[in-house]
Amino acid sequence: MANNNSGTITPSANTAAISNRINWRRLAEPSALIATLFALIIIFSILNPRFASVENLRNLMDQAALPLIIGVGATLVILLGSIDLSIEGIMGSAGLAFVLLSANSRSESDFGLLALLAALLTGIIFGLLNGLIVTKVKVPSFVVTLGMWFVGLGFATVLYGTETIPVLTNPEVSSWSSTLTFGAPNSFWAAVFVVILGVITLILTKTGRSIMAIGNNEVIARNSGIRVDRIKITVFALAGLLSAVAGIIAAIKLGSGSPSVGLGSLFITIPAVVIGGTALAGGKGGVLRTALGVLLLTVLNNGLILAGVSPSFQSGLAGAILIAAIVFAAWSQRDRLRIAK
Amino acid sequence: MKTSTPTEARAIIDNATPPKKIQFRKLWQTFGPATIFLAVFLMISAFNPNFLTSGGMGIVATLSAPILMVALGQAIVLNVGSIDLSNASMSLLGAILLALALPNFGVTSPIIILLVTTAFGIFNGFFVAYTKVPSFALTLGTLGIFQSGALVFSNATAVYVSDNKDFLGHLHTTKLAGAPTTFFIGLAMAVILWFVLRYTKVGRGMTAIGLNETGAVYSGLKNRGLKVVAFGISGFMSGLGSLVIIAQSGSASPNGLGSDLLLPGIAAAIVGGTSILGGATNPINVVFGALTVSMIPIANAVLGVNAQAQSLVYGLAIISIAALMLNGSRSGIVK
């Protein structure tokens, strides 16, 4: 219950009633999401029988993989009450770094696993910069990460240069993400691995509990001896790392390097986190909820396309869902004195 | 995101800035934008003297016209402490609608488009003010909707104005001192907005909200209505951006002129001395901001930096100027 209290002081007489309501909501929100997910699956299966086929199921897993991976990082950042808008920029930089250092059509040099490490490091550095500027220079995260989004894209464009498109030449690398292991694509297993790690970090580690505490009430967390700045920097670095992982997988999927490899990722991830029930104000939510949100949006996008709706509507739909979700979440707190910027 | 309770707001006031820092920021806000503009201008002229003689400033003014429109709207929204991430996509959607409307409605179509985009802005403002959702999240949502709208109405290709394009085209081709009329419209809007912010009740109210919303509410200001007005102005300016896009290119497409206006717009507002925390902006300085931002590609070329890297420069400019202006100014919670 303490974790769900959004930082306001509650008179003790009401505590019991409030804890009841929160317990109810805790169960009701995910159940409603799961019910919606099943309803969508049934509707789309009726609209187009191909929706429920094994191939499309693999398709769905593959499509959900990237937002799942990014979603874990985004959830941790949002739980702090901050935001990370730099996802697509970091994906572009890391993906391109990976392609250029692996065996590709542009250069002979193949650094193998070192390429992977270098790409991941790129993501960590961008994330660290985000965290350091937010905590040490005290610039709000939405401005820092908005800037870093385009710094990442610009960096990727510089790496890309004006030569020919760098294509991955090692077939083992370029087919990795779609190769099936135990019937599911590798990209999906990577996502499952990241989600499990995310859940463990958030629930079982000191860092995870500190994240929730900071999101709930930063002043109290700081006064209780939590190293707020250090946790924040760690979380932004983690989010950068996960964006890099997603960027590498996206580049592998594409088979070549491109600065815009992450295009549209932000638009699935942030709505997915919010739909899952993680509050933008921080301190409430979780990684599994985000996973549910990602599955819901992926099924919706995939099903609509199979039902014959033009992909032009996708970002609009995600936008409308995002608005509905944030308005719904903020509805009970729309007091005139509450300040939302 | 930047939600805070009245107690937190008071904590921020208690930790108020030492007066010396404020003076530096005030000085920066008054003269900084023009200084940066002059510095970049002189640097380009020094590296490439042709810039002065071959009408370089006219080109910069042309490039800056659409940026100036969205930047002025963004400055007004930033001034109340919010942000409008949807304004550039609104301009693009408006341009596509304008291209479709011109052959049928002729001279009235620009007015229709301005009304439509103003309505979009009011829609944003209404949600931010009355449902208390963070503006960056809400406008990220409407950004997606406008993007979809642009793709759907244009069938994902370029829409050419088939008829009645001349009277808008004149705004681009009629030039004064090398700069197109579109730029002077932006300049006039900057002066009008400066007047509104400086001398009207509505303008002073908006600035008060940006400075301290809790205080503004306790002083009896209609904070919600004023926020709707701010977003409405942003919508109107985006509509003017649509007119500029059509005047300049005679066509509109989902990935043509105007599709990359968001970041230059924010950069121009911030380089123009607008505070991202609200409560400080000067539309006239935003003009310098827009001119500076439009010179960045030219400066890149002169310095031999890959011209494609301009988004990197915009990104760095936003972060570093925001950092410079905020340095030491807040010791409270930063999210």
Side-chain angles (χ1 to χ4, degrees):
Chain A
M1 130 86 216
N3 282 325
N4 284 304
N5 200 328
S6 57
T8 46
I9 299 154
T10 320
S12 55
N14 290 334
T15 315
I18 284 176
S19 78
N20 275 340
R21 195 166 69 212
I22 285 162
N23 282 338
W24 176 81
R25 282 186 77 170
R26 248 191 180 170
L27 278 178
E29 272 178 30
S31 324
L33 280 180
I34 293 170
T36 317
L37 186 60
F38 276 104
L40 283 178
I41 290 173
I42 293 168
I43 293 169
F44 287 134
S45 308
I46 295 169
L47 284 176
N48 188 340
R50 264 181 53 212
F51 178 81
S53 65
V54 178
E55 294 91 84
N56 193 49
L57 195 67
R58 282 181 187 144
N59 235 336
L60 274 171
M61 287 176 170
D62 197 37
Q63 283 168 10
L66 292 184
L68 278 174
I69 294 172
I70 311 161
V72 172
T75 309
L76 297 183
V77 173
I78 292 177
L79 280 174
L80 284 175
S82 303
I83 188 83
D84 184 2
L85 300 174
S86 63
I87 292 165
E88 293 183 13
I90 298 181
M91 283 179 76
S93 280
L96 207 57
F98 174 73
V99 173
L100 289 178
L101 294 175
S102 303
N104 70 82
S105 57
R106 238 191 229 179
S107 64
E108 298 292 306
S109 52
D110 175 9
F111 294 91
L113 273 181
L114 276 180
L116 193 67
L117 283 179
L120 295 178
L121 198 65
T122 312
I124 294 178
I125 290 173
F126 275 116
L128 272 178
L129 282 176
N130 279 338
L132 282 170
I133 299 173
V134 170
T135 52
K136 303 299 176 194
V137 196
K138 298 198 182 288
V139 184
S141 58
F142 78 92
V143 180
V144 178
T145 56
L146 184 74
M148 207 57 81
W149 175 2
F150 289 90
V151 171
L153 280 183
F155 181 66
T157 318
V158 174
L159 283 182
Y160 189 77
T162 47
E163 291 173 58
T164 52
I165 302 168
V167 181
L168 284 170
T169 45
N170 185 346
E172 254 182 66
V173 175
S174 54
S175 66
W176 179 83
S177 104
S178 52
T179 307
L180 300 178
T181 311
F182 303 119
N186 280 338
S187 56
F188 183 70
W189 290 120
V192 170
F193 179 69
V194 168
V195 169
I196 292 174
L197 274 188
V199 172
I200 293 175
T201 309
L202 194 59
I203 296 181
L204 297 180
T205 69
K206 203 172 150 189
T207 310
R209 302 321 293 170
S210 305
I211 292 171
M212 298 300 267
I214 294 169
N216 268 313
N217 193 323
E218 195 172 323
V219 176
I220 293 180
R222 202 182 289 269
N223 291 347
S224 316
I226 293 175
R227 291 173 188 271
V228 173
D229 285 4
R230 192 183 285 184
I231 301 277
K232 279 189 175 177
I233 295 169
T234 312
V235 169
F236 274 105
L238 257 177
L241 171 72
L242 291 177
S243 296
V245 172
I248 294 166
I249 296 179
I252 291 175
K253 275 188 183 180
L254 190 66
S256 64
S258 157
S260 57
V261 81
L263 202 71
S265 297
L266 185 72
F267 251 112
I268 306 177
T269 314
I270 305 278
V273 174
V274 178
I275 294 165
T278 299
L280 281 175
K284 177 183 169 281
V287 169
L288 278 180
R289 284 163 164 263
T290 299
L292 212 53
V294 168
L295 291 182
L296 195 76
L297 277 185
T298 314
V299 164
L300 192 65
N301 277 338
N302 173 287
L304 283 177
I305 287 175
L306 283 182
V309 177
S310 152
S312 299
F313 286 97
Q314 261 189 27
S315 66
L317 194 72
I321 292 174
L322 173 67
I323 294 174
I326 53 175
V327 169
F328 178 75
W331 191 252
S332 58
Q333 297 161 3
R334 57 188 201 297
D335 183 80
R336 194 174 169 212
L337 283 178
R338 184 185 159 81
I339 291 168
K341 298 197 161 178
Chain B
M1 198 68 352
K2 286 158 60 189
T3 52
S4 62
T5 57
T7 23
E8 281 168 7
R10 195 173 302 136
I12 291 168
I13 298 164
D14 286 343
N15 298 329
T17 330
K20 212 176 156 191
K21 285 263 163 68
I22 288 182
Q23 239 144 37
F24 168 73
R25 290 216 317 283
K26 281 233 159 109
L27 215 63
W28 160 262
Q29 273 160 3
T30 315
F31 300 109
T35 315
I36 291 193
F37 166 76
L38 263 180
V40 178
F41 175 77
L42 289 176
M43 189 200 74
I44 295 177
S45 315
F47 276 90
N48 187 354
N50 284 338
F51 180 71
L52 287 172
T53 51
S54 59
M57 268 328 281
I59 296 169
V60 169
T62 310
L63 287 174
S64 73
I67 297 175
L68 177 57
M69 298 299 182
V70 290
L72 285 171
Q74 190 68 267
I76 299 296
V77 173
L78 286 171
N79 192 40
V80 296
S82 300
I83 192 164
D84 186 354
L85 296 179
S86 71
N87 66 354
S89 58
M90 212 188 280
S91 268
L92 196 63
L93 175 58
I96 285 166
L97 292 177
L98 182 58
L100 293 169
L102 268 172
N104 302 323
F105 300 99
V107 197
T108 50
S109 40
I111 298 162
I112 298 173
I113 294 307
L114 286 175
L115 286 176
V116 168
T117 54
T118 309
F120 287 157
I122 289 173
F123 175 86
N124 276 336
F126 179 81
F127 268 95
V128 169
Y130 286 89
T131 63
K132 304 278 173 180
V133 295
S135 56
F136 83 88
L138 179 93
T139 52
L140 192 66
T142 45
L143 166 89
I145 296 175
F146 296 144
Q147 241 171 24
S148 264
L151 284 168
V152 171
F153 282 108
S154 66
N155 278 323
T157 54
V159 183
Y160 293 91
V161 182
S162 54
D163 204 1
N164 290 328
K165 73 194 249 189
D166 283 346
F167 78 95
L168 270 181
H170 281 310
L171 292 180
H172 175 58
T173 49
T174 311
K175 291 193 167 136
L176 185 69
T181 318
T182 46
F183 175 75
F184 289 103
I185 297 175
L187 202 59
M189 283 312 299
V191 174
I192 293 170
L193 288 174
W194 172 79
F195 181 83
V196 169
L197 284 180
R198 194 91 175 78
Y199 294 109
T200 69
K201 215 169 145 185
V202 171
R204 302 303 284 176
M206 290 196 287
T207 307
I209 289 173
L211 284 172
N212 182 344
E213 189 165 351
T214 312
V217 176
Y218 283 144
S219 315
L221 280 175
K222 296 199 161 83
N223 64 331
R224 294 180 292 203
L226 288 171
K227 276 192 183 176
V228 176
V229 172
F231 276 92
I233 292 175
S234 176
F236 179 80
M237 293 310 299
S238 298
L240 284 180
S242 310
L243 303 196
V244 174
I245 291 170
I246 293 296
Q248 288 192 354
S249 62
S251 69
S253 86
N255 36 30
L257 180 64
S259 56
D260 298 325
L261 276 180
L262 173 62
L263 206 67
I266 299 174
I270 293 180
V271 173
T274 306
S275 161
I276 41 159
L277 296 178
T281 188
N282 180 348
I284 300 193
N285 273 340
V286 174
V287 176
F288 286 114
L291 287 171
T292 309
V293 162
S294 314
M295 285 195 296
I296 287 179
I298 301 173
N300 275 352
V302 166
L303 291 177
V305 183
N306 185 346
Q308 303 280 303
Q310 41 176 297
S311 65
L312 194 148
V313 181
Y314 290 148
L316 282 178
I318 288 185
I319 298 175
S320 45
I321 293 177
L324 188 72
M325 283 185 59
L326 288 171
N327 194 17
S329 71
R330 69 182 346 221
S331 38
I333 292 168
V334 180
K335 292 210 157 169

